[in-house]
Amino acid sequence: MRLNVTINGEKRQADDVWEGESLLYVLRERLGLPGSKNACEQGECGSCTVYLDSVPVCACLVAAGQAEGRVVRTVEGLADGDQLDPIQQSFVDQGAVQCGFCTPGLVVAAHDLLNRVPDPSDEEIREALAGNLCRCTGYEKILDAVRAVAKGRVA
């Protein structure tokens, strides 16, 4: 099938897509958007989190056919050209990126939280990021990154 989808504000098309193929596979392998990571393929780790019609989803669990005619925003789409989104910049500034595998999903989840709750409590941050696993950081730097954006300490 031919998949027509708007990704990061741009209408895109992928041909010869199998309806059961994951949105994650289409993004990474067919459309050249490697930001979302393929870690567990079971929706358990959050590394592949993207927005689908403004709702965060694990792209590994979304069949490509379900994205037909819809709007996807990936971690790449959070930046405005060369200008990183404040949460992306904060992850860099706060040292919240180590191996980077979990980072895209965490950034999208934190972005969503901050859009819904501009000044979240630590409990709200932890709850919002609970579906994202990180093996490297111990999470404190990630929490610091979200806190910094909430407190306006990121340009």
Side-chain angles (χ1 to χ4, degrees), residues 8-126:
N8 300 330
E10 179 183 334
K11 292 201 181 292
R12 300 287 302 265
Q13 190 175 76
D15 289 320
D16 299 322
V17 174
W18 171 59
E19 291 87 350
E21 197 169 287
S22 75
L23 175 60
L24 177 61
Y25 185 85
V26 170
L27 292 171
R28 290 182 56 80
E29 305 302 329
R30 295 187 181 273
L31 298 175
L33 293 165
S36 304
K37 303 300 184 214
N38 184 1
C40 75
E41 293 186 281
Q42 297 176 14
E44 295 293 328
C45 72
S47 294
C48 64
T49 303
V50 299
Y51 286 109
L52 180 62
D53 293 336
S54 302
V55 176
V57 298
C58 289
C60 71
L61 297 180
V62 176
Q66 292 177 293
E68 173 64 30
R70 297 175 76 182
V71 176
V72 174
R73 190 173 183 198
T74 68
V75 68
E76 293 98 335
L78 298 182
D80 184 10
D82 290 337
Q83 181 67 40
L84 294 178
D85 183 86
I87 191 63
Q88 291 172 311
Q89 188 62 55
S90 188
F91 264 66
V92 172
D93 295 346
Q94 299 297 323
V97 178
Q98 285 191 14
C99 85
F101 217 78
C102 66
T103 305
L106 281 161
V107 166
V108 172
H111 183 269
D112 178 63
L113 169 65
L114 291 165
N115 281 338
R116 292 182 293 106
V117 184
D119 189 14
S121 66
D122 277 3
E123 183 178 317
E124 289 170 314
I125 297 170
R126 290 176 193 279

Side-chain angles (χ1 to χ4, degrees), residues 44-47 91 94-98 102-103 106 122 125-147:
E44 295 293 328
C45 72
S47 294
F91 264 66
Q94 299 297 323
V97 178
Q98 285 191 14
C102 66
T103 305
L106 281 161
D122 277 3
I125 297 170
R126 290 176 193 279
E127 184 176 329
L129 302 182
N132 298 79
L133 302 178
C134 177
R135 293 177 179 234
C136 300
T137 65
Y139 299 98
E140 197 57 39
K141 296 289 186 183
I142 294 166
L143 298 175
D144 289 345
V146 178
R147 290 178 192 124

